[in-house]
Amino acid sequence: MGESRDHSHVKRVVVKVGTNVMTNKDNRIVSPILRGLVDQIAELYERDIMTILVSSGSVIAGMEVMDSTIDDPTIRRQVFSAIGQPRMMRHYYSIFHEYGMRCAQVLATKRDFSPGKHRENMINCYEGLLSQGVIPIANEDDAVSLSMSMFSDNDELASLVAELLNADMLILLTDTDGLYTGHPDDEDSRLIRNVTTDQNVEQYIQETNKGEAEGRGGMESKLGVAKETAKKDIPTFIANGKRAGVIVDLVDGKEIGTRIID
């Protein structure tokens, strides 16, 4: 099964949850999925393990309450995101409150991670929240993020946050169990447990990739980001966000999902 997974040192975890994890086939936010994520974050919190959540979903949340006649796709995305961001935070705030926990929204563009004052301010903000036991919920600031200031997707944002905060682990949650040798629904396909940073697995990506509802990420993006993150000595995993207990199980060292090894 590969190398043993001793994660007893883990105290800080970055978890990215994609739109395809939190939505159903009708592109509606599924509240029980969000509740399941928060339940796991709360369990880790009780063990003094802090989670930084990188959450998609704002565009879908905006689409749920507004029809748009805007033709320009960029402006349409900005509008939906601006409307959906507070809706997503209301979901999270309400659920965390039930656990007696607090959460905070941290929006960013790619330029905020460039060396200088912006980066220092980002670190200070995150460290300040974590020191107070507040769960940061990160997302791209879609309302103002354009062209050069855009992340390729939230996988890239999650990787940058993990590096910024010297995280002990990065978990990229999608709607499959990881990278397969073929389509996940194919009986002959098998889950690839470990991928090295120099391993060429391009032939498997298109079969595994299901895409993301209204998202920009996919398996190719996740593997690219995961490899770059693993090279920075941050253990990185791709796993199924709809699997019960997936975050806690990975932190506990259970061999699920696909692990990227440097």
Side-chain angles (χ1 to χ4, degrees), residues 106-177:
V106 183
L107 298 178
T109 63
K110 197 167 184 177
R111 64 173 175 264
D112 293 322
F113 290 87
S114 300
K117 285 294 183 182
H118 281 282
R119 183 180 178 87
E120 292 175 17
N121 286 337
M122 287 284 290
I123 294 173
N124 291 339
C125 177
Y126 275 111
E127 294 294 352
L129 291 170
L130 293 170
S131 71
Q132 297 302 307
V134 179
I135 302 299
I137 300 178
N139 197 6
E140 181 172 10
D141 194 353
D142 289 309
V144 300
S145 181
L146 296 172
S147 59
M148 293 301 291
S149 66
M150 287 178 65
F151 302 102
S152 58
D153 47 51
N154 271 348
D155 297 318
E156 182 183 20
L157 171 58
S159 176
L160 289 171
V161 170
E163 179 186 4
L164 185 80
L165 301 177
N166 296 312
D168 300 307
M169 181 183 294
L170 171 63
I171 299 173
L172 302 175
L173 296 179
T174 184
D175 61 351
T176 65
D177 291 332

Side-chain angles (χ1 to χ4, degrees), residues 51-117:
T51 302
I52 299 91
L53 183 62
V54 179
S55 176
S56 302
S58 62
V59 173
I60 290 292
M63 291 173 63
E64 286 182 342
V65 296
M66 180 180 178
D67 294 324
S68 173
T69 58
I70 300 172
D71 292 328
D72 188 305
T74 300
I75 298 175
R76 187 167 60 247
R77 174 171 160 266
Q78 288 176 299
V79 169
F80 282 141
S81 177
I83 294 169
Q85 285 286 3
R87 296 194 73 231
M88 286 302 301
M89 284 307 298
R90 184 174 64 184
H91 280 304
Y92 282 123
Y93 183 89
S94 176
I95 300 171
F96 274 111
H97 182 72
E98 294 176 15
Y99 287 86
M101 297 174 65
R102 296 167 296 174
C103 63
Q105 184 177 52
V106 183
L107 298 178
T109 63
K110 197 167 184 177
R111 64 173 175 264
D112 293 322
F113 290 87
S114 300
K117 285 294 183 182

